[in-house]
Amino acid sequence: GMDGAPPATSPAGLSAFVAVSQLLGLTLLATMGTWLGRYRGGVAWHSPLLFNVHPLCMVLGMVFLQGDALLVYRVFRHEAKRSTKTLHALLHGLALVIALVGIIAVFESHRAKGIPDMYSLHSWCGMVTFVLYLLQWLLGCGFFLFPGASFSLRSRYKPQHVFFGIALFVLSIAACLLGITEMLLFNIRDSYSQFVPEGVLANTLGVLLVAFGLVVGYILTRDDWKRPPLAEEMALSMDFKTLTESESPGGGS
C-alpha cells in the first residue's frame, strides 16, 4: 500500500455474514449427505444408487460452489483484480463440471431403469438453468478474462453479467427445491404427510437452501459491501478510456 494509507479492512458485518453463509453451506451439504446416506442407501456410480449422485452434485456445484464463486469479489476485496477474477471463473467452472457429472448421472440412471427423461417441471427448470449458466460462464470468460473485449464493451456487458449471475443462483436453488419435492413424492408419497423423519430432514434441507440463498443474496446486494476499486485499477481504467474513447479523464460521458 501507499505511505499513510489506512490498512485494508473489511466493512463491519461483512465477515460475520460470510462466516454464516459458509456455515449454512456446509450444514446444507452435511444434511444432503445424511439424507442420501441414511435414507437413500448412499451414493455409488456403477449401481442402482447412481441416481443419488445427481442431487449431491447439483447441490454441491449449482448451489454451494456457485454461491461461493459469487462471493469472491466481496471476500477478496483488496487482492489484485486479475487473481480475484480468475478465482471467480475457476469456482464457476468447477461448479459447472460437478453439475455436468450430476446431469450425466441422472440420464444414465434413467436409461438403466427405463425411466423417461425431461418431462417434469424440475428437469425443465434445471436444464434451462444449467445451459444458461454454461453460456454465462463462456460469455464471462470471453468478456472479462481474455484480453480483446474493449473497455466500453465490458462496461456495457457488466450489468447483464451481474444480473444473470444472481438470477441463475436463484434459479438453481428453485430447481433444487423442485427436485427435493419430486424425490419425496417418488420415494415416500404415502408417508410424507405423517411427518416421517426423512420428510422432515428433506424439508429442512430445502429451508437451508433458501437460507443460504438469502444470506448470499444479502451480501451481494449490500452496496457498501461491494469491492472498492483499487487505486491502480482506477488509474488503468482512466488511461484505458482515454486511449480507447479519446476523451479526457476528467470530462466525457
Side-chain angles (χ1 to χ4, degrees):
M2 292 180 297
D3 298 325
T9 55
S10 263
L14 174 61
S15 306
F17 269 89
V18 170
V20 169
S21 75
Q22 296 314 288
L23 196 62
L24 279 168
L26 294 170
T27 309
L28 186 67
L29 294 175
T31 308
M32 176 52 106
T34 305
W35 180 19
L36 295 176
R38 187 157 177 184
Y39 297 102
R40 294 286 121 225
V43 175
W45 194 264
H46 294 291
S47 85
L49 298 175
L50 172 59
F51 174 82
N52 293 348
V53 173
H54 175 71
L56 187 65
C57 283
M58 294 340 253
V59 166
L60 174 60
M62 296 296 285
V63 179
F64 183 64
L65 284 175
Q66 183 179 176
D68 276 5
L70 295 175
L71 291 179
V72 159
Y73 287 109
R74 302 295 178 274
V75 175
F76 302 102
R77 308 172 61 74
H78 306 289
E79 279 69 14
K81 184 77 176 270
R82 181 87 195 162
S83 46
T84 314
K85 206 185 275 190
T86 306
L87 180 61
H88 178 73
L90 282 172
L91 281 173
H92 278 307
L94 182 61
L96 272 165
V97 170
I98 292 172
L100 183 61
V101 171
I103 289 172
I104 292 168
V106 75
F107 278 108
E108 284 294 304
S109 163
H110 282 179
R111 201 173 54 83
K113 293 175 182 171
I115 300 170
D117 292 313
M118 297 303 301
Y119 67 88
S120 70
L121 179 60
H122 163 65
S123 63
W124 287 20
C125 289
M127 194 54 84
V128 165
T129 304
F130 178 77
V131 170
L132 288 177
Y133 189 46
L134 176 60
L135 194 63
Q136 161 92 344
W137 186 73
L138 292 171
L139 284 170
C141 288
F143 274 99
F144 302 115
L145 216 51
F146 301 118
S150 77
F151 186 81
S152 62
L153 201 58
R154 279 182 185 193
S155 49
R156 271 206 293 273
Y157 174 62
K158 195 181 169 189
Q160 278 80 341
H161 185 73
V162 170
F163 168 77
F164 278 105
I166 293 182
L168 286 166
F169 181 56
V170 172
L171 278 171
S172 299
I173 291 173
C176 285
L177 295 177
L178 287 169
I180 291 168
T181 305
E182 197 172 289
M183 249 179 100
L184 289 170
L185 292 178
F186 279 140
N187 291 316
I188 60 163
R189 177 179 296 151
D190 300 328
S191 59
Y192 187 22
S193 61
Q194 287 141 37
F195 290 90
V196 290
E198 181 177 354
V200 173
L201 182 70
N203 286 357
T204 304
L205 174 63
V207 172
L208 286 166
L209 278 162
V210 172
F212 180 71
L214 288 173
V215 173
V216 170
Y218 181 72
I219 296 168
L220 291 176
T221 51
R222 273 281 294 257
D223 272 346
D224 52 331
W225 289 357
K226 287 196 162 67
R227 183 182 196 274
L230 303 179
E232 63 264 29
E233 287 167 43
M234 295 285 281
L236 188 70
S237 74
M238 274 312 185
D239 292 347
F240 204 76
K241 261 184 118 74
T242 313
L243 282 171
T244 52
E245 293 166 17
S246 62
E247 56 181 40
S248 64
S253 49

Coordinates of all heavy atoms in Angstrom, one line a residue, residues 21 24-36 43 51-69 91 94-103 122 126 129-130 133 168-169 171-181 183 201-202 204-210 212-213 216:
S21 N -22.7 -17.6 6.0 CA -23.0 -18.3 4.7 C -22.3 -19.6 4.5 O -22.8 -20.6 4.1 CB -22.7 -17.3 3.5 OG -21.3 -17.2 3.3
L24 N -23.8 -22.2 6.8 CA -25.0 -22.7 6.2 C -24.7 -23.7 5.0 O -25.4 -24.7 4.9 CB -25.9 -21.5 5.7 CG -26.8 -20.8 6.7 CD1 -27.3 -19.5 6.1 CD2 -27.9 -21.7 7.2
G25 N -23.8 -23.3 4.2 CA -23.4 -24.1 3.1 C -22.9 -25.5 3.5 O -23.3 -26.5 2.9
L26 N -22.1 -25.5 4.5 CA -21.5 -26.8 4.9 C -22.6 -27.6 5.6 O -22.7 -28.9 5.5 CB -20.3 -26.6 5.9 CG -19.1 -25.9 5.2 CD1 -18.1 -25.5 6.2 CD2 -18.5 -26.9 4.2
T27 N -23.5 -27.0 6.4 CA -24.6 -27.7 7.0 C -25.5 -28.3 5.9 O -26.1 -29.4 6.1 CB -25.4 -26.7 7.9 OG1 -24.5 -26.0 8.8 CG2 -26.5 -27.4 8.7
L28 N -25.7 -27.5 4.9 CA -26.5 -27.9 3.7 C -26.0 -29.2 3.1 O -26.7 -30.2 2.9 CB -26.4 -26.8 2.7 CG -27.1 -26.7 1.4 CD1 -28.6 -26.6 1.7 CD2 -26.6 -25.5 0.6
L29 N -24.6 -29.2 2.9 CA -24.0 -30.4 2.3 C -24.1 -31.6 3.3 O -24.3 -32.7 2.8 CB -22.5 -30.1 2.0 CG -22.4 -29.1 0.8 CD1 -20.9 -28.7 0.7 CD2 -22.9 -29.6 -0.5
A30 N -23.9 -31.4 4.6 CA -24.0 -32.4 5.5 C -25.4 -33.0 5.6 O -25.6 -34.2 5.7 CB -23.6 -31.9 6.9
T31 N -26.4 -32.1 5.5 CA -27.8 -32.6 5.5 C -28.1 -33.4 4.3 O -28.8 -34.4 4.4 CB -28.7 -31.3 5.6 OG1 -28.3 -30.5 6.7 CG2 -30.2 -31.8 5.8
M32 N -27.6 -33.0 3.1 CA -27.8 -33.7 1.9 C -27.1 -35.1 2.0 O -27.7 -36.1 1.7 CB -27.2 -32.9 0.7 CG -27.3 -33.6 -0.6 SD -28.9 -34.2 -1.0 CE -29.4 -33.1 -2.2
G33 N -25.9 -35.1 2.5 CA -25.2 -36.4 2.7 C -25.9 -37.3 3.7 O -26.0 -38.5 3.4
T34 N -26.5 -36.7 4.7 CA -27.2 -37.5 5.7 C -28.5 -38.1 5.1 O -28.8 -39.3 5.3 CB -27.6 -36.7 6.9 OG1 -26.5 -36.1 7.4 CG2 -28.3 -37.5 8.0
W35 N -29.2 -37.3 4.3 CA -30.4 -37.8 3.6 C -30.1 -39.0 2.7 O -30.7 -40.1 2.8 CB -31.1 -36.7 2.9 CG -32.4 -37.0 2.1 CD1 -33.2 -38.1 2.4 CD2 -33.0 -36.3 1.1 NE1 -34.2 -38.2 1.5 CE2 -34.1 -37.1 0.7 CE3 -32.7 -35.2 0.4 CZ2 -35.0 -36.6 -0.3 CZ3 -33.5 -34.8 -0.6 CH2 -34.7 -35.5 -1.0
L36 N -29.1 -38.8 1.9 CA -28.7 -39.8 0.9 C -28.2 -41.1 1.6 O -28.5 -42.2 1.2 CB -27.8 -39.3 -0.1 CG -28.3 -38.2 -1.1 CD1 -27.2 -37.6 -2.0 CD2 -29.5 -38.6 -1.9
V43 N -24.3 -43.3 -2.1 CA -24.0 -42.8 -3.4 C -23.0 -43.8 -4.1 O -22.0 -44.1 -3.4 CB -23.4 -41.4 -3.3 CG1 -22.9 -40.9 -4.7 CG2 -24.4 -40.4 -2.8
F51 N -28.4 -42.8 -9.3 CA -29.3 -41.6 -9.2 C -28.9 -40.6 -8.2 O -28.9 -39.4 -8.3 CB -30.8 -41.9 -9.1 CG -31.6 -40.7 -8.9 CD1 -32.1 -40.0 -10.0 CD2 -32.0 -40.2 -7.6 CE1 -32.8 -38.8 -9.8 CE2 -32.7 -39.1 -7.4 CZ -33.2 -38.4 -8.6
N52 N -28.5 -41.1 -7.0 CA -28.1 -40.3 -5.8 C -26.9 -39.3 -6.1 O -26.8 -38.3 -5.4 CB -27.9 -41.1 -4.6 CG -29.2 -41.8 -4.1 OD1 -30.3 -41.5 -4.6 ND2 -29.0 -42.8 -3.2
V53 N -26.1 -39.7 -7.1 CA -25.0 -38.8 -7.5 C -25.6 -37.4 -7.9 O -25.0 -36.4 -7.7 CB -24.2 -39.4 -8.6 CG1 -23.1 -38.4 -9.1 CG2 -23.5 -40.7 -8.1
H54 N -26.8 -37.5 -8.5 CA -27.4 -36.3 -9.1 C -27.7 -35.2 -8.1 O -27.2 -34.1 -8.2 CB -28.7 -36.7 -9.9 CG -29.4 -35.5 -10.4 ND1 -29.0 -34.7 -11.5 CD2 -30.6 -34.9 -10.1 CE1 -29.8 -33.7 -11.7 NE2 -30.8 -33.8 -10.8
P55 N -28.5 -35.5 -7.1 CA -28.8 -34.4 -6.1 C -27.6 -33.9 -5.4 O -27.5 -32.7 -5.1 CB -29.8 -35.0 -5.1 CG -29.8 -36.5 -5.4 CD -29.3 -36.7 -6.8
L56 N -26.7 -34.8 -5.1 CA -25.4 -34.4 -4.4 C -24.6 -33.4 -5.2 O -24.2 -32.4 -4.7 CB -24.6 -35.7 -4.0 CG -23.4 -35.4 -3.1 CD1 -23.8 -34.9 -1.8 CD2 -22.6 -36.7 -3.0
C57 N -24.4 -33.8 -6.5 CA -23.6 -32.9 -7.4 C -24.3 -31.6 -7.6 O -23.7 -30.5 -7.7 CB -23.4 -33.6 -8.7 SG -22.1 -34.9 -8.6
M58 N -25.6 -31.6 -7.8 CA -26.4 -30.3 -8.1 C -26.3 -29.4 -6.9 O -26.0 -28.2 -7.1 CB -27.8 -30.6 -8.5 CG -28.0 -31.4 -9.7 SD -26.6 -31.4 -10.9 CE -27.2 -30.3 -12.2
V59 N -26.4 -29.9 -5.7 CA -26.4 -29.0 -4.5 C -24.9 -28.5 -4.3 O -24.7 -27.3 -4.0 CB -27.0 -29.7 -3.3 CG1 -26.6 -29.0 -2.0 CG2 -28.5 -29.8 -3.4
L60 N -24.0 -29.4 -4.5 CA -22.6 -29.0 -4.3 C -22.1 -28.0 -5.3 O -21.5 -27.0 -5.0 CB -21.7 -30.3 -4.3 CG -20.2 -30.0 -4.3 CD1 -19.8 -29.3 -3.0 CD2 -19.4 -31.3 -4.4
G61 N -22.5 -28.3 -6.6 CA -22.0 -27.4 -7.7 C -22.8 -26.2 -7.9 O -22.4 -25.1 -7.8
M62 N -24.1 -26.4 -8.2 CA -25.0 -25.3 -8.6 C -25.5 -24.4 -7.4 O -26.0 -23.3 -7.7 CB -26.2 -25.8 -9.3 CG -25.9 -26.6 -10.6 SD -25.2 -25.5 -11.9 CE -26.6 -24.5 -12.5
V63 N -25.3 -24.9 -6.2 CA -25.7 -24.0 -5.1 C -24.4 -23.6 -4.3 O -24.1 -22.4 -4.3 CB -26.7 -24.7 -4.2 CG1 -27.1 -23.7 -3.0 CG2 -28.0 -25.0 -5.0
F64 N -23.8 -24.5 -3.6 CA -22.7 -24.2 -2.7 C -21.5 -23.5 -3.5 O -21.1 -22.4 -3.1 CB -22.2 -25.4 -2.0 CG -21.1 -25.1 -1.0 CD1 -21.4 -24.2 0.1 CD2 -19.8 -25.6 -1.1 CE1 -20.3 -23.9 1.0 CE2 -18.8 -25.3 -0.2 CZ -19.1 -24.5 0.9
L65 N -21.0 -24.1 -4.5 CA -19.8 -23.6 -5.2 C -20.2 -22.3 -6.0 O -19.5 -21.4 -6.1 CB -19.2 -24.6 -6.1 CG -18.3 -25.7 -5.4 CD1 -17.9 -26.7 -6.4 CD2 -17.1 -25.0 -4.7
Q66 N -21.4 -22.3 -6.6 CA -21.9 -21.1 -7.3 C -22.0 -20.0 -6.4 O -21.6 -18.9 -6.7 CB -23.2 -21.4 -8.0 CG -23.6 -20.2 -8.9 CD -25.0 -20.4 -9.6 OE1 -25.4 -19.4 -10.2 NE2 -25.6 -21.5 -9.6
G67 N -22.6 -20.2 -5.2 CA -22.7 -19.2 -4.2 C -21.3 -18.6 -3.8 O -21.1 -17.4 -3.7
D68 N -20.4 -19.5 -3.5 CA -19.0 -19.1 -3.2 C -18.3 -18.3 -4.3 O -17.6 -17.4 -4.0 CB -18.2 -20.3 -2.7 CG -18.5 -20.6 -1.2 OD1 -19.4 -20.0 -0.6 OD2 -17.8 -21.5 -0.7
A69 N -18.6 -18.7 -5.5 CA -18.0 -18.0 -6.7 C -18.5 -16.6 -6.7 O -17.8 -15.7 -7.0 CB -18.3 -18.8 -8.0
L91 N -14.0 -21.2 -9.8 CA -15.0 -21.7 -9.0 C -16.3 -22.0 -9.8 O -16.9 -23.1 -9.6 CB -15.3 -20.8 -7.8 CG -14.4 -20.8 -6.6 CD1 -14.7 -19.8 -5.6 CD2 -14.4 -22.2 -6.0
L94 N -15.6 -25.0 -11.9 CA -15.7 -26.3 -11.1 C -17.1 -26.6 -10.9 O -17.5 -27.8 -10.9 CB -14.9 -26.1 -9.8 CG -14.8 -27.2 -8.9 CD1 -14.1 -28.4 -9.5 CD2 -14.1 -26.8 -7.6
A95 N -17.9 -25.6 -10.5 CA -19.4 -25.9 -10.3 C -20.0 -26.5 -11.6 O -20.8 -27.4 -11.5 CB -20.1 -24.6 -10.0
L96 N -19.7 -26.0 -12.7 CA -20.2 -26.5 -14.0 C -19.8 -28.0 -14.2 O -20.6 -28.8 -14.6 CB -19.7 -25.7 -15.2 CG -20.5 -24.4 -15.5 CD1 -19.7 -23.5 -16.5 CD2 -21.8 -24.8 -16.2
V97 N -18.5 -28.3 -13.9 CA -18.1 -29.7 -14.1 C -18.8 -30.6 -13.2 O -19.3 -31.7 -13.6 CB -16.5 -29.7 -13.9 CG1 -16.1 -31.2 -13.9 CG2 -15.8 -29.0 -15.0
I98 N -18.9 -30.2 -11.9 CA -19.7 -31.1 -11.0 C -21.1 -31.2 -11.4 O -21.7 -32.3 -11.3 CB -19.5 -30.5 -9.5 CG1 -18.0 -30.6 -9.1 CG2 -20.4 -31.2 -8.6 CD1 -17.7 -29.9 -7.8
A99 N -21.7 -30.1 -11.8 CA -23.1 -30.2 -12.2 C -23.3 -31.1 -13.4 O -24.3 -31.8 -13.5 CB -23.6 -28.8 -12.5
L100 N -22.3 -31.0 -14.3 CA -22.4 -31.9 -15.5 C -22.3 -33.4 -15.1 O -23.1 -34.2 -15.7 CB -21.2 -31.5 -16.5 CG -21.2 -32.3 -17.8 CD1 -22.5 -32.0 -18.6 CD2 -20.0 -32.0 -18.6
V101 N -21.5 -33.7 -14.2 CA -21.4 -35.1 -13.7 C -22.8 -35.5 -13.1 O -23.3 -36.6 -13.4 CB -20.4 -35.2 -12.6 CG1 -20.4 -36.6 -11.9 CG2 -19.0 -35.0 -13.2
G102 N -23.4 -34.5 -12.4 CA -24.8 -34.8 -11.8 C -25.8 -35.0 -12.9 O -26.7 -35.9 -12.8
I103 N -25.7 -34.3 -14.0 CA -26.7 -34.4 -15.1 C -26.5 -35.7 -15.8 O -27.4 -36.5 -16.1 CB -26.6 -33.2 -16.1 CG1 -27.1 -31.9 -15.4 CG2 -27.3 -33.5 -17.4 CD1 -26.9 -30.7 -16.2
H122 N -39.2 -29.8 -12.8 CA -37.9 -29.8 -12.2 C -36.8 -29.9 -13.3 O -35.8 -29.2 -13.4 CB -37.7 -30.9 -11.2 CG -36.3 -31.2 -10.8 ND1 -35.5 -30.3 -10.2 CD2 -35.5 -32.3 -11.1 CE1 -34.3 -30.8 -10.0 NE2 -34.2 -32.0 -10.5
G126 N -34.3 -27.1 -14.4 CA -32.9 -27.4 -14.1 C -32.0 -27.4 -15.4 O -30.9 -26.8 -15.4
T129 N -31.5 -23.8 -16.5 CA -30.6 -23.1 -15.6 C -29.2 -23.5 -16.0 O -28.3 -22.7 -16.1 CB -30.9 -23.5 -14.2 OG1 -32.2 -23.1 -13.9 CG2 -30.0 -22.7 -13.2
F130 N -29.0 -24.8 -16.2 CA -27.6 -25.3 -16.5 C -27.1 -24.7 -17.8 O -25.9 -24.3 -17.9 CB -27.5 -26.8 -16.5 CG -26.2 -27.4 -16.9 CD1 -25.2 -27.4 -15.9 CD2 -25.9 -27.8 -18.2 CE1 -23.9 -27.8 -16.3 CE2 -24.6 -28.3 -18.5 CZ -23.6 -28.3 -17.5
Y133 N -26.3 -21.1 -17.4 CA -25.1 -21.0 -16.6 C -23.8 -21.2 -17.4 O -22.9 -20.5 -17.2 CB -25.2 -22.0 -15.4 CG -24.2 -21.9 -14.3 CD1 -23.9 -20.6 -13.7 CD2 -23.6 -23.0 -13.8 CE1 -23.0 -20.5 -12.7 CE2 -22.7 -22.9 -12.7 CZ -22.4 -21.7 -12.2 OH -21.4 -21.6 -11.2
L168 N -29.4 -16.6 -12.0 CA -29.1 -18.1 -12.2 C -28.9 -18.8 -10.8 O -29.2 -19.9 -10.7 CB -27.8 -18.3 -13.0 CG -28.1 -18.0 -14.5 CD1 -26.8 -17.8 -15.3 CD2 -29.0 -19.1 -15.1
F169 N -28.3 -18.0 -9.8 CA -28.2 -18.6 -8.5 C -29.6 -18.8 -7.9 O -29.8 -19.9 -7.3 CB -27.4 -17.6 -7.6 CG -27.1 -18.0 -6.2 CD1 -26.5 -19.3 -6.0 CD2 -27.5 -17.3 -5.2 CE1 -26.3 -19.7 -4.7 CE2 -27.3 -17.7 -3.8 CZ -26.7 -18.9 -3.6
L171 N -32.4 -19.3 -9.6 CA -33.0 -20.4 -10.4 C -32.4 -21.7 -10.0 O -33.2 -22.7 -9.9 CB -32.7 -20.2 -11.9 CG -33.6 -19.2 -12.7 CD1 -33.1 -19.0 -14.1 CD2 -35.0 -19.8 -12.7
S172 N -31.1 -21.8 -9.7 CA -30.5 -23.0 -9.2 C -31.2 -23.5 -7.9 O -31.5 -24.7 -7.8 CB -29.0 -22.9 -9.0 OG -28.4 -22.5 -10.2
I173 N -31.4 -22.6 -7.0 CA -32.0 -23.0 -5.7 C -33.4 -23.5 -6.0 O -33.9 -24.5 -5.4 CB -31.9 -21.9 -4.7 CG1 -30.4 -21.7 -4.3 CG2 -32.8 -22.1 -3.5 CD1 -30.2 -20.5 -3.4
A174 N -34.1 -22.7 -6.8 CA -35.5 -23.1 -7.2 C -35.6 -24.5 -7.8 O -36.5 -25.3 -7.4 CB -36.1 -22.1 -8.1
A175 N -34.7 -24.8 -8.7 CA -34.6 -26.1 -9.3 C -34.4 -27.2 -8.3 O -34.9 -28.3 -8.3 CB -33.6 -26.2 -10.4
C176 N -33.5 -26.9 -7.3 CA -33.2 -27.9 -6.2 C -34.4 -28.1 -5.4 O -34.7 -29.3 -5.0 CB -32.0 -27.4 -5.4 SG -30.4 -27.5 -6.1
L177 N -35.2 -27.1 -5.1 CA -36.4 -27.2 -4.3 C -37.4 -28.1 -5.0 O -38.0 -29.0 -4.4 CB -37.0 -25.9 -3.9 CG -36.1 -24.9 -3.0 CD1 -36.8 -23.6 -2.9 CD2 -35.9 -25.6 -1.7
L178 N -37.5 -27.9 -6.3 CA -38.4 -28.7 -7.1 C -38.0 -30.2 -7.1 O -38.8 -31.1 -7.0 CB -38.5 -28.2 -8.5 CG -39.3 -26.9 -8.8 CD1 -39.1 -26.4 -10.2 CD2 -40.8 -27.1 -8.6
G179 N -36.6 -30.3 -7.2 CA -36.1 -31.7 -7.2 C -36.3 -32.4 -5.9 O -36.6 -33.6 -5.9
I180 N -36.1 -31.7 -4.8 CA -36.3 -32.3 -3.4 C -37.8 -32.8 -3.3 O -38.1 -33.9 -2.9 CB -36.0 -31.3 -2.3 CG1 -34.5 -31.1 -2.3 CG2 -36.5 -31.8 -1.0 CD1 -34.1 -29.9 -1.4
T181 N -38.7 -31.9 -3.7 CA -40.1 -32.3 -3.7 C -40.4 -33.5 -4.5 O -41.1 -34.4 -4.1 CB -41.0 -31.1 -4.2 OG1 -40.6 -29.9 -3.4 CG2 -42.5 -31.3 -4.0
M183 N -38.3 -35.9 -5.4 CA -37.7 -37.1 -4.8 C -38.6 -37.6 -3.7 O -38.8 -38.8 -3.6 CB -36.4 -36.7 -4.3 CG -35.2 -37.3 -5.0 SD -33.6 -36.8 -4.3 CE -33.2 -38.3 -3.3
L201 N -36.4 -34.2 7.4 CA -35.0 -33.9 7.0 C -34.8 -33.2 5.6 O -34.1 -32.2 5.5 CB -34.1 -35.2 7.0 CG -32.6 -35.0 6.8 CD1 -31.9 -34.4 7.9 CD2 -32.0 -36.4 6.5
A202 N -35.6 -33.8 4.7 CA -35.5 -33.2 3.3 C -36.1 -31.8 3.3 O -35.6 -30.9 2.6 CB -36.2 -34.1 2.3
T204 N -36.0 -29.8 5.8 CA -35.0 -29.0 6.4 C -33.9 -28.6 5.4 O -33.4 -27.4 5.4 CB -34.4 -29.7 7.6 OG1 -35.4 -30.1 8.5 CG2 -33.4 -28.9 8.4
L205 N -33.6 -29.5 4.6 CA -32.6 -29.3 3.5 C -33.1 -28.1 2.6 O -32.3 -27.2 2.3 CB -32.4 -30.5 2.7 CG -31.5 -30.4 1.4 CD1 -30.1 -30.0 1.8 CD2 -31.5 -31.7 0.7
G206 N -34.4 -28.2 2.3 CA -35.0 -27.1 1.5 C -34.9 -25.7 2.1 O -34.5 -24.7 1.5
V207 N -35.2 -25.7 3.4 CA -35.1 -24.5 4.2 C -33.7 -23.9 4.3 O -33.4 -22.7 4.1 CB -35.7 -24.7 5.6 CG1 -35.5 -23.4 6.5 CG2 -37.2 -25.0 5.5
L208 N -32.7 -24.8 4.4 CA -31.3 -24.5 4.5 C -30.9 -23.9 3.1 O -30.1 -22.9 3.0 CB -30.4 -25.7 4.8 CG -30.4 -26.1 6.3 CD1 -29.8 -27.5 6.4 CD2 -29.7 -25.1 7.2
L209 N -31.4 -24.5 2.0 CA -31.1 -23.9 0.7 C -31.6 -22.5 0.5 O -30.8 -21.6 0.0 CB -31.8 -24.8 -0.4 CG -31.1 -26.1 -0.8 CD1 -32.1 -27.0 -1.5 CD2 -29.9 -25.8 -1.7
V210 N -32.8 -22.2 1.0 CA -33.3 -20.9 0.9 C -32.5 -19.9 1.8 O -32.2 -18.8 1.4 CB -34.8 -20.9 1.4 CG1 -35.4 -19.5 1.5 CG2 -35.7 -21.7 0.3
F212 N -29.4 -20.2 2.8 CA -28.1 -20.0 2.1 C -28.2 -18.9 1.0 O -27.4 -18.0 0.9 CB -27.5 -21.3 1.5 CG -26.2 -21.1 0.9 CD1 -25.0 -20.9 1.6 CD2 -26.1 -21.3 -0.5 CE1 -23.8 -20.8 0.9 CE2 -24.8 -21.2 -1.2 CZ -23.7 -20.9 -0.4
G213 N -29.3 -19.1 0.2 CA -29.5 -18.1 -0.9 C -29.8 -16.7 -0.4 O -29.3 -15.8 -1.0
V216 N -26.4 -15.2 1.0 CA -25.5 -14.8 -0.1 C -26.1 -13.6 -0.9 O -25.4 -12.7 -1.2 CB -25.3 -16.0 -1.1 CG1 -24.6 -15.6 -2.4 CG2 -24.5 -17.1 -0.4

